[in-house]
Amino acid sequence: MEIDFSEYKLSSELRGHEDDVRGICVCGNAGIATSSRDRTVRLWSLEGHKYAASRILLGHTSFVGPLAWISPNEEFPEGGVVSGGMDTLVLVWDLRTGEKLQTLKGHQLQVTSVALDGGDIVSASVDCTLRRWRNGQPTESWEAHKAAIQAVIKLPSGELVTGSSDTTLKLWRGSKCTHTYVGHTDTVRGLAVMSDLGILSASHDSSIRLWALSGEVLMEMVGHTSIVYSVDSHVSGLIVSGSEDCSAKIWKDGVCVQTIEHPGCVWDAKFLDNGDIVTGCSDGVIRIWTVHQDRLADSLELESYASQLSQYKRSRKRVGGLKLDDLPGLEALQVPGTSDGQTKVVREGDNGVAYAWNLREQKWDKIGEVVDGPDDNLRRPVLDGIEYDYVFDVDIGDGEPIRKLPYNRSDNPYATADKWLLKENLPLSYRQQIVEFILQNSGQKDFTLDSSFRDPFTGSSAYIPGATSSMSAAVSAKPTFKHIPKKGVLVFDVAQFDGILKKITEFNNALLSDSENKNLSLTELEFSRLGAIIKVLKDTSHYHSSKLADVDIALLLKLLNSWPLAMIFPVIDILRMTVLHPDGAIVLLKHVEAENGVLLEIIKKVTTNPAIPANLLTSIRAVTNLFKNSCFYNWLQKHRSEILDAFSSCYSSLNKNLQLSYSTLLLNYAVLLIEKKDQEGQSQVLSAALVIVEEENLEVDSKFRVLVAIGSLMLDGLVRKIALDLDVEDIAKAAKASKDAKISEVGADIELLTKQS
């Protein structure tokens, strides 16, 4: 149908989701399906001209993203929905019953897109693969890109198109790539078919492109000021896009004809057949927009939306690089300045106003309103009311507080360093290292270093008795992070050995009195041997010289394999402490290598549902302790997927000790896989960590360790770009806003990483 363009206005708001709305799927006459970070898929049915909530589909264990509509058929009389999630699963739902009919397992990382190809489902993932599913079973899988796949669509011709973090689109006939489209300069995030013309792509480079199937760029649409997450087209020729810049834009013939502002990031935007537009926003609200007067929201709803938008803009407004709400009020001008020309920015109503201190007249003179540019990424930091290009955190060490070092690119770094060192009363011999710190962190690589010193006040060189020529012990020569990267591993090294032995004695007596299981009980010699093992493990000061024998490890493994499942947790606890003993770890590894799979079998045995909590806790801590000894590094790396999968249920447990143990396991894996430069492993750990950090019930220490793992992987690992594609910026912002100091600090660390080029 043809639409003469006129301005879109709000038709209705659909509320129900408790977090960001990530995906929208138009389900024919059945209504609209939406997905969210709140782990639900919701169906909204049309009642008259308005949509109303009709079903909530529960099954994903982490946030849900892509959706696809299955039109009614024999299997799905009222249609179905396919959903993909951060939990690596693809789920198939029957809309008649609201039941989950199929769970498709196979992807290693987040599922980013799903499409229907006849009766098949095609799914794309951050693990770089496309998978095809038929009747709930996998039929084929192939690596479609060398970086995360963000989108897949089916063309009317039957071919598939993928978009990836490698900045390209690829055209597929079966599993054969027939064309690669090159032109975007950043991740290709969203795809859509433009009827009879070609393929639309939305990118992190802030642009939208229309491609002919031959590869020619027919149109480039530039207007968004941040990541474009989604794009869709209508038969009328209109195009809609959703972006991180808090807007949906409508395009006609390559020109933006309307910008619809939102109180948050617009994750998805879709056209309905009648030309109306549906948007999903980070405020958890789905909105319908229309050009038809009879479908407009009433005046109260329109006023309410205008108020939401105004309030959101005010909360985000920045002046002088600071949030308007964070600026001091006019009362700040009652405090005298300290030097002539000193500036201060204060809040006056909805504006930030700059004042300068007039030393002669001892008063603040008004300079004028301070306005930031439109790009939030170009905010200039402020120190003591003065704007700078940079304000660096400098860690002096020795328990000293972090010092602030302001710098403008137009300044001479030597003059800046000299003035700052004198102001902070630091040795002037540190000058050269401060200059290198400034140049490195401001990206001025071509600056010629000048090692001579001239006092900024006298012009003479400086002599400092006893001063050293290096300040490596005092000031970090790279961006200062408070909690990352994590160096070394964490272990669970406290044990109540008397309680362990008492519990084993209790279980052994129970076996002795049970005629059927009497043969499983410990002999007197074995019990004595167990006591000897514990004696060695207690004496930590002699770990360098004490020994554990083959028979000791063999005894523990025998009990773990033969005793009833409900009785083995104290034995696992002894094993947990044994692997911290250098000799114990080496001897255990011999048995693991000789009896192929023995350790994995025990892990599988104790984690199989329904798992006994005591077994789960002692075993995950035992595996975490394996990281203490380098002899187990290769084994841990080789069996990473099996181990993480086995313990993956721990993070959602209400048991805080299990949460902490799983978080520690991930953190140790992050440290190991960074050292091993294992990108695939780092990706899996990052994905698992990002799932956990979304948990509302996650205890503070557990969340902290997971955030440190994420930050360390971004800083020293190979997965920074994947983290950015998985919206780590939102996680960093949420952490930074935490009331807990260490969560807030590590959130700031990660936010700083997201801003580095």
Side-chain angles (χ1 to χ4, degrees):
M1 60 180 283
E2 285 292 327
I3 298 178
D4 291 329
F5 182 78
S6 57
E7 190 171 280
Y8 276 85
K9 294 180 181 176
L10 184 68
S11 173
S12 61
E13 292 186 321
L14 310 182
R15 295 179 179 271
H17 281 299
E18 296 170 5
D19 211 331
D20 299 46
V21 178
R22 295 298 300 262
I24 298 166
C25 175
V26 180
C27 303
N29 295 326
I32 301 165
T34 56
S35 63
S36 169
R37 277 184 182 269
D38 67 11
R39 308 179 188 183
T40 69
V41 177
R42 294 176 186 246
L43 187 68
W44 312 81
S45 299
L46 191 60
E47 296 178 3
H49 287 317
K50 300 288 183 180
Y51 286 89
S54 59
R55 286 196 184 281
I56 301 176
L57 310 180
L58 301 170
H60 282 285
T61 58
S62 185
F63 74 72
V64 195
L67 300 170
W69 160 242
I70 302 172
S71 54
N73 55 34
E74 284 186 16
E75 188 179 2
F76 300 94
E78 294 179 19
V81 165
V82 182
S83 60
M86 185 75 164
D87 54 13
T88 76
L89 302 178
V90 178
L91 302 183
V92 183
W93 309 87
D94 183 352
L95 292 188
R96 181 168 57 91
T97 62
E99 296 296 315
K100 177 179 64 178
L101 290 191
Q102 296 170 1
T103 299
L104 312 182
K105 295 181 180 179
H107 284 296
Q108 298 301 305
L109 298 170
Q110 177 187 355
V111 177
T112 51
S113 189
V114 289
L116 294 180
D117 186 5
D120 293 353
I121 294 168
V122 178
S123 56
S125 168
V126 174
D127 65 15
C128 307
T129 67
L130 280 181
R131 291 180 180 265
R132 184 179 290 274
W133 314 82
R134 188 170 299 153
N135 300 322
Q137 299 300 317
T139 60
E140 64 178 332
S141 170
W142 69 97
E143 185 182 82
H145 291 262
K146 294 294 183 184
I149 307 171
Q150 299 290 346
V152 59
I153 56 169
K154 185 195 173 189
L155 300 180
S157 62
E159 295 156 305
L160 297 173
V161 180
T162 53
S164 166
S165 294
D166 65 12
T167 76
T168 71
L169 291 74
K170 287 182 183 287
L171 182 68
W172 300 90
R173 188 170 289 122
S175 57
K176 181 184 177 185
C177 177
T178 59
H179 193 82
T180 300
Y181 303 81
V182 179
H184 281 298
T185 58
D186 206 335
T187 295
V188 178
R189 188 61 175 258
L191 296 172
V193 176
M194 184 78 177
S195 185
D196 300 324
L197 282 174
I199 308 155
L200 286 164
S201 60
S203 172
H204 284 204
D205 66 14
S206 306
S207 75
I208 301 136
R209 290 183 178 226
L210 173 62
W211 309 78
L213 289 185
S214 60
E216 180 188 356
V217 178
L218 302 177
M219 214 154 47
E220 183 173 12
M221 287 156 271
V222 178
H224 283 294
T225 58
S226 190
I227 294 170
V228 188
Y229 287 115
S230 61
V231 65
D232 194 29
S233 72
H234 190 262
V235 291
S236 63
L238 291 181
I239 293 167
V240 65
S241 54
S243 169
E244 175 79 18
D245 65 11
C246 305
S247 76
K249 287 185 182 290
I250 298 152
W251 311 80
K252 188 174 178 62
D253 301 325
V255 176
C256 179
V257 291
Q258 186 183 353
T259 296
I260 305 176
E261 294 181 299
H262 283 66
C265 160
V266 181
W267 286 110
D268 202 1
K270 290 282 194 300
F271 278 106
L272 297 172
D273 287 344
N274 63 9
D276 286 359
I277 291 170
V278 190
T279 57
C281 184
S282 61
D283 66 354
V285 181
I286 302 112
R287 293 179 174 88
I288 316 286
W289 307 86
T290 188
V291 295
H292 299 280
Q293 291 297 315
D294 61 336
R295 296 205 287 270
L296 285 184
D298 62 37
S299 57
L300 283 177
E301 290 174 297
L302 293 173
E303 284 175 22
S304 171
Y305 183 67
S307 174
Q308 290 173 53
L309 203 55
S310 173
Q311 190 175 354
Y312 180 72
K313 284 181 176 180
R314 179 188 164 91
S315 74
R316 282 170 57 88
K317 185 171 181 180
R318 289 179 176 264
V319 290
L322 295 173
K323 279 187 177 180
L324 178 66
D325 289 348
D326 291 344
L327 290 177
L330 287 169
E331 68 278 1
L333 299 180
Q334 294 172 9
V335 180
T338 55
S339 59
D340 194 42
Q342 176 191 348
T343 59
K344 185 175 283 190
V345 181
V346 299
R347 186 181 69 251
E348 291 186 26
D350 285 344
N351 298 309
V353 179
Y355 285 81
W357 180 244
N358 185 325
L359 186 63
R360 187 167 60 84
E361 297 184 21
Q362 288 287 297
K363 66 171 187 148
W364 291 99
D365 291 333
K366 188 171 185 175
I367 300 172
E369 186 180 333
V370 180
V371 181
D372 270 5
D375 190 346
D376 282 349
N377 293 324
L378 298 179
R379 299 175 197 132
R380 286 162 55 84
V382 172
L383 183 64
D384 299 328
I386 303 172
E387 285 190 5
Y388 294 94
D389 290 336
Y390 304 93
V391 176
F392 300 119
D393 285 337
V394 182
D395 189 358
I396 303 301
D398 298 326
E400 291 283 328
I402 299 291
R403 314 283 180 101
K404 299 289 186 182
L405 168 57
Y407 175 68
N408 288 316
R409 288 179 70 90
S410 58
D411 293 344
N412 183 305
Y414 290 94
T416 299
D418 297 341
K419 185 177 179 181
W420 184 78
L421 288 168
L422 290 166
K423 174 179 176 285
E424 295 290 342
N425 198 26
L426 292 169
L428 294 172
S429 57
Y430 291 169
R431 178 201 197 217
Q432 191 65 19
Q433 199 162 340
I434 285 291
V435 169
E436 290 173 8
F437 173 88
I438 291 171
L439 296 180
Q440 179 180 343
N441 290 292
S442 60
Q444 293 173 276
K445 298 174 183 174
D446 302 324
F447 195 94
T448 305
L449 293 174
D450 170 16
S451 58
S452 62
F453 172 81
R454 285 164 295 282
D455 187 296
F457 302 109
T458 66
S460 61
S461 297
Y463 166 69
I464 305 163
T468 59
S469 60
S470 170
M471 61 177 296
S472 58
V475 178
S476 167
K478 59 183 181 180
T480 304
F481 299 102
K482 198 160 181 73
H483 297 289
I484 58 173
K486 176 73 178 79
K487 299 297 182 185
V489 298
L490 299 174
V491 294
F492 296 96
D493 56 1
V494 176
Q496 302 296 326
F497 285 111
D498 293 341
I500 291 170
L501 203 52
K502 183 180 178 183
K503 184 58 73 174
I504 288 176
T505 304
E506 177 190 319
F507 287 158
N508 195 56
N509 289 338
L511 291 172
L512 280 168
S513 61
D514 181 349
S515 56
E516 288 185 18
N517 290 315
K518 191 173 183 178
N519 63 315
L520 299 179
S521 63
L522 289 161
T523 65
E524 199 171 318
L525 182 61
E526 286 174 332
F527 198 84
S528 172
R529 187 73 249 164
L530 214 52
I533 294 170
I534 287 177
K535 187 177 180 184
V536 170
L537 296 177
K538 273 185 172 181
D539 188 11
T540 54
S541 62
H542 288 91
Y543 270 20
H544 62 287
S545 57
S546 60
K547 297 287 183 185
L548 286 165
D550 276 327
V551 291
D552 297 332
I553 303 301
L555 173 59
L556 294 176
L557 293 176
K558 174 192 167 186
L559 296 178
L560 291 173
N561 283 314
S562 64
W563 270 25
L565 206 54
M567 292 184 174
I568 62 173
F569 64 86
V571 184
I572 302 172
D573 230 12
I574 295 177
L575 188 70
R576 168 177 70 88
M577 300 305 293
T578 301
V579 299
L580 294 178
H581 189 292
D583 199 47
I586 291 166
V587 177
L588 175 63
L589 186 61
K590 279 188 204 170
H591 283 264
V592 169
E593 290 172 340
E595 305 166 54
N596 190 28
V598 62
L599 204 50
L600 280 177
E601 282 303 313
I602 293 168
I603 291 170
K604 187 176 178 182
K605 176 179 171 181
V606 298
T607 56
T608 301
N609 281 333
I612 297 168
N615 286 348
L616 206 53
L617 182 61
T618 50
S619 59
I620 190 173
R621 288 182 166 183
V623 172
T624 301
N625 283 3
L626 289 175
F627 288 84
K628 177 75 172 177
N629 283 288
S630 59
C631 66
F632 264 98
Y633 284 2
N634 288 335
W635 185 87
L636 287 162
Q637 186 181 11
K638 180 181 177 183
H639 298 291
R640 173 241 322 148
S641 285
E642 297 139 289
I643 291 168
L644 291 177
D645 287 348
F647 292 112
S648 61
S649 65
C650 294
Y651 80 84
S652 56
S653 169
L654 295 178
N655 184 320
K656 304 299 184 187
N657 291 321
L658 272 177
Q659 288 183 6
L660 184 65
S661 301
Y662 187 64
S663 299
T664 309
L665 178 66
L666 285 183
L667 181 54
N668 283 357
Y669 256 121
V671 172
L672 171 63
L673 297 168
I674 288 168
E675 181 184 317
K676 294 285 188 180
K677 295 182 170 56
D678 180 345
Q679 184 169 4
E680 182 185 340
Q682 290 176 32
S683 296
Q684 184 181 6
V685 173
L686 175 70
S687 184
L690 289 171
V691 169
I692 296 176
V693 88
E694 298 279 348
E695 281 289 318
E696 287 182 11
N697 297 321
L698 198 61
E699 185 262 342
V700 167
D701 285 335
S702 301
K703 179 167 281 197
F704 175 71
R705 291 184 184 186
V706 169
L707 287 165
V708 171
I710 292 168
S712 299
L713 286 164
M714 289 179 67
L715 179 63
D716 283 350
L718 306 168
V719 292
R720 180 175 174 275
K721 186 164 179 54
I722 292 175
L724 293 171
D725 287 342
L726 293 176
D727 311 316
V728 75
E729 287 179 80
D730 290 347
I731 286 163
K733 286 174 187 171
K736 192 177 174 186
S738 170
K739 292 178 182 177
D740 185 88
K742 63 184 180 182
I743 298 290
S744 177
E745 288 165 355
V746 73
D749 284 349
I750 296 172
E751 187 178 63
L752 181 56
L753 280 171
T754 67
K755 289 176 166 52
Q756 289 184 344
S757 56

